Amino acid sequence: MTRPSKALIDLAALRSNYLTARNLHGGRALAVVKANAYGHGAVPCAQALADIADGFAVAFAAEAFELREAGITKPILVLEGCFDPNELLVAHKANLWVVIHQESQLRALETAPIDAHSIRVWLKVDSGMHRAGFALEDVQTAYARLEACPSVASITLMTHFARADEPDSDATAKQINAFHEATASLPGDRSLSNSGGILAWPTARGSWARPGILLYGADPLPVKPEISTNGADSMPRGAAQLTQNADQPLNQAYQLKPVMSLVSEVFAIRTLEPGEALGYGGTFVATTPVRVGLVAIGYADGYPRVAPTGTPISVGGVLTRTIGRVSMDMLTVDLTDLPQASIGSPVECWGKQIDVNQVAQQAGTIAYELLCNVKRVPKVYQN
Ligand SMILES: *Cc1c(COP(=O)(O)O)cnc(C)c1O
């Protein structure tokens, strides 16, 4: 038997989530496939979306070149823009759209030897995140300089939210207002929303959305306590939120489909006697007989080592918990109440049965990081 651990990637779910995101936002949507499509594989994901997506977004130019080499001809926006004037020339040759978020990029564009009206730029406005982008008071000048650049074919105004995933904070409303005020007199397309903005901020609609985590079926909004109590609950979170949080600023139901299922199998079983400690550090000590399943996946595959005893995991489609420390290549699960579980029983770490957000919460992180970190296991694509 070969090692049974895999990341199953459901491309139909990816396509469905893209359409959900675009329908919720309206207008057009760039599918964000940076960081190897959040760990799902940038080329296969972009190819699966190529006929329906309005375009793609990546973090830096090399990520876009990989997509071009794989035959992706749709627009690709480079979210961090170019790192130097030379890269700008190569990006232009690859017909990429580039973000301009600071003075050095603006200067590179002004002096670049490229044809008239041949490059589309997105001018990034810092509306309050204070990470990248032109200050509100500098936007008019930056825009005017771009307009004066012969090479510029069009200018889209964009901003990015620091707290879109916090529906109860007024920070996003402030950013939206600041962005609109600073750009009111300027023509052109607008792009405000990442996934959190699409879901929670109907006032942040622009011409273009930039959904990332939504595409992969992980809800960026806070896990609701009434849903999080049952790790195996397969109820779509969006539908649940709509009925249970009718006061949230959501105007439509949404149903996200998890794209990645990180799966393996039980490959050994033992029973711990009371007093016996399990695994590295002996952090779990049996007080009663405990039936332990050994699962062929560990932190070298991207399962978080910090996930404590009690992290939800499913065995044979039934919810149970991890016990003891996660090792590099293995982890251990509690089979005491799963007498039907045996060697070869399928295990899902996260995916269709276990919400990746719940594992992330146990590990003190976010779904984004867990998904991006998946490695070593083969990816198996399903249409
Ligand atoms: C990564 C990124 C996104 C996508 O964010 P999600 O929260 O994953 O939807 C959108 N816009 C910018 C500028 C980004 O860097």
Side-chain angles (χ1 to χ4, degrees):
M1 187 174 96
T2 54
R3 191 175 190 245
S5 313
K6 304 177 194 76
L8 306 176
I9 310 291
D10 180 346
L11 296 172
L14 177 72
R15 292 162 62 89
S16 164
N17 294 334
Y18 173 82
L19 295 175
T20 298
R22 188 171 62 187
N23 288 341
L24 281 170
H25 179 272
R28 288 166 291 175
L30 294 180
V32 180
V33 294
K34 63 189 177 185
N36 201 24
Y38 294 43
H40 295 67
V43 166
C45 287
Q47 284 169 338
L49 291 169
D51 60 333
I52 53 171
D54 301 308
F56 297 95
V58 295
F60 53 94
E63 291 185 321
F65 300 150
E66 188 194 359
L67 298 182
R68 285 285 184 252
E69 275 156 29
I72 300 295
T73 55
K74 285 276 171 84
I76 307 176
L77 176 68
V78 181
L79 292 166
E80 288 177 358
C82 293
F83 283 88
D84 57 56
N86 204 38
E87 193 179 59
L88 178 64
L89 297 185
V90 190
H92 172 254
K93 266 207 196 98
N95 195 20
L96 307 182
W97 299 2
V98 296
V99 167
I100 303 287
H101 66 76
Q102 63 172 330
E103 173 62 26
S104 65
Q105 293 173 326
L106 189 46
R107 234 178 300 130
L109 189 63
E110 286 174 326
T111 55
I114 57 183
D115 293 347
H117 305 293
S118 67
I119 188 161
R120 291 182 180 240
V121 301
W122 286 40
L123 176 60
K124 187 160 181 173
V125 179
D126 173 17
S127 60
M129 185 166 181
H130 302 140
R131 185 182 65 172
F134 286 88
L136 296 169
E137 60 272 22
D138 297 333
V139 171
Q140 299 283 338
T141 318
Y143 192 97
R145 283 172 61 188
L146 285 174
E147 262 190 320
C149 261
S151 60
V152 170
S154 70
I155 308 168
T156 297
L157 290 156
M158 73 175 288
T159 195
H160 193 49
F161 297 136
R163 301 174 67 178
D165 54 349
E166 298 177 39
D168 300 332
S169 157
D170 65 353
T172 303
K174 285 185 178 151
Q175 282 197 253
I176 296 166
N177 290 339
F179 176 74
H180 286 322
E181 258 172 50
T183 61
S185 63
L186 302 173
D189 282 358
R190 305 285 197 270
S191 177
L192 293 83
S193 281
N194 59 351
S195 297
I198 292 167
L199 294 180
W201 299 95
T203 53
R205 304 291 185 247
S207 345
W208 293 90
R210 305 186 308 272
I213 196 76
L214 253 185
L215 302 177
Y216 309 103
D219 195 318
L221 299 186
V223 176
K224 302 294 182 286
E226 61 272 20
I227 300 165
S228 70
T229 48
N230 184 351
D233 190 344
S234 63
M235 179 164 54
R237 279 197 54 207
Q241 278 181 344
L242 196 79
T243 50
Q244 294 170 8
N245 298 283
D247 55 339
Q248 298 260 323
L250 297 172
N251 57 3
Q252 289 173 64
Y254 62 97
Q255 186 178 340
L256 302 180
K257 299 178 179 170
V259 174
M260 180 195 292
S261 299
L262 186 63
V263 301
S264 187
E265 285 179 8
V266 173
F267 73 107
I269 293 179
R270 70 171 57 236
T271 299
L272 290 182
E273 297 306 328
E276 288 184 332
L278 175 64
Y280 286 118
T283 58
F284 177 85
V285 180
T287 53
T288 55
V290 176
R291 191 164 175 253
V292 181
L294 190 59
V295 179
I297 201 156
Y299 64 77
D301 304 296
Y303 192 94
R305 181 179 174 278
V306 293
T309 288
T311 301
I313 190 163
S314 90
V315 177
V318 180
L319 174 68
T320 183
R321 57 176 187 150
T322 64
I323 48 177
R325 278 217 182 119
V326 174
S327 309
M328 184 184 287
D329 315 306
M330 296 176 242
L331 56 78
T332 38
V333 296
D334 189 350
L335 301 181
T336 309
D337 296 328
L338 280 70
Q340 73 284 11
S342 58
I343 289 179
S345 285
V347 173
E348 186 191 278
C349 300
W350 60 70
K352 309 282 185 197
Q353 295 150 21
I354 303 292
D355 182 350
V356 64
N357 277 309
Q358 292 182 333
V359 180
Q361 198 176 32
Q362 290 288 321
T365 185
I366 53 176
Y368 296 74
E369 190 184 18
L370 295 190
L371 296 172
C372 287
N373 277 348
V374 169
K375 51 191 179 293
R376 193 168 73 169
V377 294
K379 294 188 189 78
V380 178
Y381 292 91
Q382 305 166 313
N383 278 299

